[in-house]
Amino acid sequence: MIELLDATPQTVAVGQSVPFTEEIGSKCGAERHRAGSAQLTLVKPGRYLVSFAGNIAVPATGGTVGEISLGIALNGEPLTGSIMRVTPAAVSEYFNVSTMHYIDVPCGCCVTITVQNTGASAVDVDNPNLTAVRVCG
């Protein structure tokens, strides 16, 4: 099990991923992460329950009110059903979003998980939390 966090609010550009600076849990287990990286690598075969929660808003600086979204991406491609969308009425109006998905890692392989800005404009992200739990091998 691994939990990734970032206590510093950040702005994530379109198509980019949310970086995580803090790690709780796995130090040499089934998951790998480098502090400051947006990538979580699942290295041991099995099924993982991957969840994300965080607060998102239209940036106060240069932001235009409209729909914003994030999604869990598997090897760079957003997962169907993982897109979390909100439409704030004003800049800096935060909404809490979350999603959870099972990810299968086949034998002899590994997968990379990120949380990607899937919208058409930048997104402010506060208190992002990404968790991966290996539920069966």
Side-chain angles (χ1 to χ4, degrees):
M1 184 284 223
I2 191 169
E3 182 177 9
L4 304 178
L5 311 161
D6 194 327
T8 306
Q10 54 196 287
T11 300
V12 179
V14 175
Q16 297 301 304
S17 297
V18 177
F20 297 93
T21 57
E22 300 174 44
E23 178 182 312
I24 300 169
S26 181
K27 295 297 178 197
C28 21
E31 311 87 13
R32 302 273 161 63
H33 176 260
R34 181 180 46 81
S37 172
Q39 298 181 342
L40 170 62
T41 304
L42 307 177
V43 297
K44 287 190 179 176
R47 175 165 275 197
Y48 294 78
L49 181 58
V50 175
S51 62
F52 172 81
N55 301 305
I56 63 174
V58 173
T61 304
T64 303
V65 175
E67 182 181 281
I68 53 176
S69 65
L70 295 177
I72 292 178
L74 176 63
N75 296 328
E77 182 176 331
L79 290 170
T80 302
S82 78
I83 308 300
M84 302 162 281
R85 302 169 200 251
V86 297
T87 306
V91 299
S92 297
E93 179 183 1
Y94 279 90
F95 283 79
N96 184 265
V97 295
S98 64
T99 190
M100 184 181 307
H101 294 275
Y102 285 104
I103 306 291
D104 292 319
V105 178
C107 290
C109 195
C110 59
V111 299
T112 300
I113 303 295
T114 57
V115 178
Q116 195 176 82
N117 179 348
T118 56
S121 62
V123 176
D124 277 353
V125 180
D126 190 22
N127 292 316
N129 180 298
L130 180 64
T131 304
V133 177
R134 189 167 179 250
V135 294
C136 66

